[in-house]
Amino acid sequence: MQDKPLTIAGKSFGSRLFIGTGKYPSFEVMKRCHEASGAEVATVAVRRLDLAAKGEASLMHWIDGSRITVLPNTAGCYTVEDAVHTCRLAEELGLCRWVKLEVLGDEKTLFPDVEKTLEAARLLVKDGFTVLPYTSDDPIAARKLEDAGCAAVMPLAAPIGSGLGIRNPYNLRIILESAKVPVIVDAGVGTASDASIALELGCDAVLMNTAIAKAKDPVRMARAMRQAVEAGRDAFLAGRIPRKLYGSASSPIDGLVGS
């Protein structure tokens, strides 16, 4: 099976790894992680940007805009009004009109409020934004967000920052069966095998932040995630063997002369 670039709303990307910009030990480490990951999309929490910072004190100074598309996100928003306002603020700041939409349900779990996410998505799509919503792994929610005009759907693997990995691969498979837009696993990835599994399932990409930023060696983990995403995609395209209950000889003797 021939591969093709990841394409979202008409824009193609060579990397299927999206990366964040928070929680790093320093901006310099963040930049090195971006380079090691090969990511071409980096999310930025608009509400946490220090608008007064200049030069090297500014987060944006450390993002290679010639290679990386900055994807503003609405992290920290709990209402439709806050999320929509944050997206419009990002536009005023000259950031991309693409947005990673988050409308959270509560501070303890950081699960998405799907009802409010859907409402905000409809408003933003109507306003001309390219919307990539963070959502639960509910296939019905994913379908409604796609029907609302979202350019991709981003179901969680597990709670944000938990590192638990993919808790419900079966729901992801159901989402993938019907989705006509890219499916990007967002939140909960802990290590390289989690990222690989997401791509092996057929997901189009994976977004992560904490798994890299809080690793003991963030740059090495960024490199591992890059390799895992590439390996997972190759495995998906190659097509795995069927699972069987019993063994099957890898060197059968059937058909050999004299057997």
Side-chain angles (χ1 to χ4, degrees):
M1 186 186 298
Q2 288 292 321
D3 201 2
K4 54 186 178 181
L6 168 63
T7 302
I8 303 173
K11 185 169 183 174
S12 295
F13 302 94
S15 171
R16 294 175 180 272
L17 174 58
F18 291 15
I19 197 168
T21 54
K23 300 184 178 180
Y24 289 91
S26 68
F27 288 154
E28 182 178 359
V29 171
M30 179 196 75
K31 182 177 181 179
R32 290 173 59 205
C33 287
H34 286 184
E35 292 168 351
S37 73
E40 297 174 12
V41 176
T43 64
V44 172
V46 178
R47 290 165 62 92
R48 295 170 186 156
L49 275 177
D50 183 354
L51 302 180
K54 304 295 181 186
E56 293 188 359
S58 169
L59 167 69
M60 302 302 293
H61 173 84
W62 297 89
I63 299 175
D64 182 358
S66 67
R67 185 177 64 83
I68 294 177
T69 295
V70 174
L71 180 64
N73 72 55
T74 61
C77 292
Y78 291 85
T79 68
V80 173
E81 294 75 17
D82 278 352
V84 171
H85 174 74
T86 300
C87 292
R88 290 173 178 158
L89 174 61
E91 182 181 15
E92 291 176 9
L93 293 173
L95 299 178
C96 181
R97 289 201 91 224
W98 287 36
V99 295
K100 181 200 168 190
L101 176 63
E102 295 182 25
V103 186
L104 302 177
D106 66 72
E107 295 183 5
K108 182 177 181 180
T109 66
L110 300 181
F111 280 134
D113 185 318
V114 174
E115 183 180 5
K116 291 178 181 177
T117 300
L118 183 58
E119 183 180 347
R122 286 172 174 151
L123 291 170
L124 290 166
V125 168
K126 185 178 180 180
D127 221 9
F129 285 90
T130 298
V131 181
L132 287 70
Y134 162 66
T135 183
S136 67
D137 59 1
D138 175 5
I140 305 305
R143 187 188 68 202
K144 288 182 177 181
L145 287 163
E146 181 178 343
D147 290 345
C150 293
V153 290
M154 304 179 73
L156 54 79
I160 293 173
S162 68
L164 289 171
I166 296 173
R167 297 295 84 201
N168 196 339
Y170 305 103
N171 272 20
L172 289 179
R173 288 175 61 183
I174 294 171
I175 292 172
L176 287 162
E177 278 184 10
S178 59
K180 296 180 177 62
V181 296
V183 176
I184 304 169
V185 165
D186 179 18
V189 168
T191 191
S193 57
D194 300 331
S196 188
I197 289 170
L199 273 292
E200 287 175 18
L201 286 170
C203 296
D204 296 279
V206 61
L207 187 153
M208 65 187 72
N209 184 75
T210 306
I212 294 175
K214 301 300 286 185
K216 292 181 180 178
D217 185 337
V219 177
R220 186 182 291 271
M221 184 61 82
R223 185 166 62 248
M225 291 298 189
R226 176 180 188 168
Q227 294 166 344
V229 166
E230 291 171 353
R233 180 65 177 177
D234 273 347
F236 168 72
L237 294 173
R240 65 159 291 136
I241 63 172
R243 290 179 171 88
K244 296 180 180 179
L245 183 60
Y246 298 105
S248 175
S250 57
S251 299
I253 61 173
D254 292 349
L256 294 178
V257 175
S259 62

